[in-house]
Short mmCIF file of all heavy atoms in Angstrom, two decimals:
data_model
loop_
_atom_site.label_atom_id
_atom_site.label_comp_id
_atom_site.label_asym_id
_atom_site.label_seq_id
_atom_site.Cartn_x
_atom_site.Cartn_y
_atom_site.Cartn_z
N THR A 21 -23.22 -3.71 -4.21
CA THR A 21 -21.84 -3.61 -4.16
C THR A 21 -21.27 -2.90 -5.41
O THR A 21 -20.42 -2.07 -5.20
CB THR A 21 -21.30 -5.05 -4.04
OG1 THR A 21 -21.73 -5.73 -2.97
CG2 THR A 21 -19.70 -4.96 -3.89
N SER A 26 -18.77 1.97 -7.67
CA SER A 26 -18.95 3.01 -8.67
C SER A 26 -19.07 4.39 -7.98
O SER A 26 -18.32 5.31 -8.43
CB SER A 26 -20.25 2.77 -9.64
OG SER A 26 -20.47 3.85 -10.45
N GLN A 29 -15.60 5.38 -6.77
CA GLN A 29 -14.74 5.72 -7.86
C GLN A 29 -15.06 7.14 -8.35
O GLN A 29 -14.20 7.99 -8.67
CB GLN A 29 -14.83 4.77 -9.04
CG GLN A 29 -14.12 3.45 -8.71
CD GLN A 29 -14.34 2.39 -9.78
OE1 GLN A 29 -15.26 2.59 -10.58
NE2 GLN A 29 -13.43 1.47 -9.90
N LYS A 32 -13.60 9.61 -5.90
CA LYS A 32 -12.22 9.67 -6.02
C LYS A 32 -11.82 10.48 -7.24
O LYS A 32 -10.99 11.38 -7.15
CB LYS A 32 -11.63 8.34 -6.11
CG LYS A 32 -10.11 8.21 -6.19
CD LYS A 32 -9.67 6.71 -6.25
CE LYS A 32 -9.22 6.28 -7.59
NZ LYS A 32 -8.67 4.84 -7.42
N GLN A 40 -6.61 18.80 -9.20
CA GLN A 40 -5.90 19.20 -10.42
C GLN A 40 -6.29 20.69 -10.76
O GLN A 40 -5.48 21.42 -11.17
CB GLN A 40 -6.09 18.41 -11.56
CG GLN A 40 -5.49 17.03 -11.44
CD GLN A 40 -5.83 16.05 -12.59
OE1 GLN A 40 -6.76 16.32 -13.38
NE2 GLN A 40 -5.17 14.98 -12.67
N GLN A 48 -1.31 29.33 -12.13
CA GLN A 48 -1.58 30.47 -12.95
C GLN A 48 -1.55 31.83 -12.14
O GLN A 48 -1.10 32.88 -12.59
CB GLN A 48 -2.89 30.40 -13.57
CG GLN A 48 -2.99 29.38 -14.59
CD GLN A 48 -4.44 29.06 -15.06
OE1 GLN A 48 -5.32 29.65 -14.59
NE2 GLN A 48 -4.54 28.31 -16.13
N GLN A 49 -1.90 31.73 -10.79
CA GLN A 49 -2.03 32.96 -10.02
C GLN A 49 -0.67 33.37 -9.28
O GLN A 49 -0.44 34.44 -9.10
CB GLN A 49 -3.13 32.81 -8.96
CG GLN A 49 -4.46 32.73 -9.59
CD GLN A 49 -5.64 32.65 -8.55
OE1 GLN A 49 -5.25 32.35 -7.32
NE2 GLN A 49 -6.83 32.75 -8.94
N ALA A 50 0.03 32.32 -8.93
CA ALA A 50 1.26 32.62 -8.04
C ALA A 50 2.38 32.55 -8.94
O ALA A 50 2.59 31.89 -9.88
CB ALA A 50 1.31 31.46 -6.97
N GLU A 62 1.87 19.56 -2.16
CA GLU A 62 1.38 18.35 -2.87
C GLU A 62 1.29 17.19 -1.87
O GLU A 62 0.23 16.36 -1.84
CB GLU A 62 2.26 17.97 -3.98
CG GLU A 62 1.81 16.75 -4.83
CD GLU A 62 0.48 17.02 -5.49
OE1 GLU A 62 0.05 18.18 -5.83
OE2 GLU A 62 -0.17 16.01 -5.85
N HIS A 70 -5.68 10.79 1.32
CA HIS A 70 -5.55 9.38 1.99
C HIS A 70 -6.30 9.34 3.17
O HIS A 70 -6.91 8.33 3.51
CB HIS A 70 -4.05 9.23 2.19
CG HIS A 70 -3.69 7.80 2.80
ND1 HIS A 70 -3.25 7.77 4.00
CD2 HIS A 70 -3.73 6.59 2.24
CE1 HIS A 70 -3.05 6.49 4.40
NE2 HIS A 70 -3.34 5.81 3.16
N THR A 72 -8.88 10.84 4.16
CA THR A 72 -10.40 10.86 3.91
C THR A 72 -10.85 9.60 3.27
O THR A 72 -12.11 9.32 3.03
CB THR A 72 -10.95 12.01 3.11
OG1 THR A 72 -10.18 12.07 1.88
CG2 THR A 72 -10.63 13.28 3.94
N VAL A 74 -10.12 8.57 0.07
CA VAL A 74 -10.21 8.77 -1.34
C VAL A 74 -9.01 8.03 -2.00
O VAL A 74 -9.23 7.31 -3.06
CB VAL A 74 -10.15 10.27 -1.72
CG1 VAL A 74 -10.10 10.41 -3.27
CG2 VAL A 74 -11.32 10.96 -1.25
N ASP A 77 -3.88 3.04 0.44
CA ASP A 77 -2.44 3.06 0.83
C ASP A 77 -1.63 2.94 -0.30
O ASP A 77 -0.54 3.58 -0.42
CB ASP A 77 -2.25 1.87 1.84
CG ASP A 77 -2.95 2.01 3.31
OD1 ASP A 77 -3.41 3.23 3.49
OD2 ASP A 77 -3.12 1.07 3.99
N ALA A 83 1.74 7.98 -5.31
CA ALA A 83 1.69 9.34 -5.65
C ALA A 83 2.75 10.07 -4.87
O ALA A 83 3.32 10.99 -5.31
CB ALA A 83 0.23 9.94 -5.31
N ALA A 85 5.66 8.88 -3.97
CA ALA A 85 6.82 8.51 -4.67
C ALA A 85 7.15 9.37 -5.74
O ALA A 85 8.21 9.85 -6.10
CB ALA A 85 6.90 7.03 -5.01
N LYS A 86 6.05 9.72 -6.50
CA LYS A 86 6.13 10.65 -7.72
C LYS A 86 6.53 12.01 -7.30
O LYS A 86 7.32 12.65 -7.93
CB LYS A 86 4.84 10.70 -8.53
CG LYS A 86 4.47 9.54 -9.28
CD LYS A 86 3.23 9.72 -10.09
CE LYS A 86 2.81 8.49 -10.92
NZ LYS A 86 1.55 8.75 -11.55
#
Side-chain angles (χ1 to χ4, degrees):
T21 301
S26 174
Q29 288 176 338
K32 182 171 103 173
Q40 288 175 350
Q48 291 172 354
Q49 291 178 352
E62 181 68 20
H70 181 250
T72 58
V74 174
D77 292 343
K86 284 183 184 178

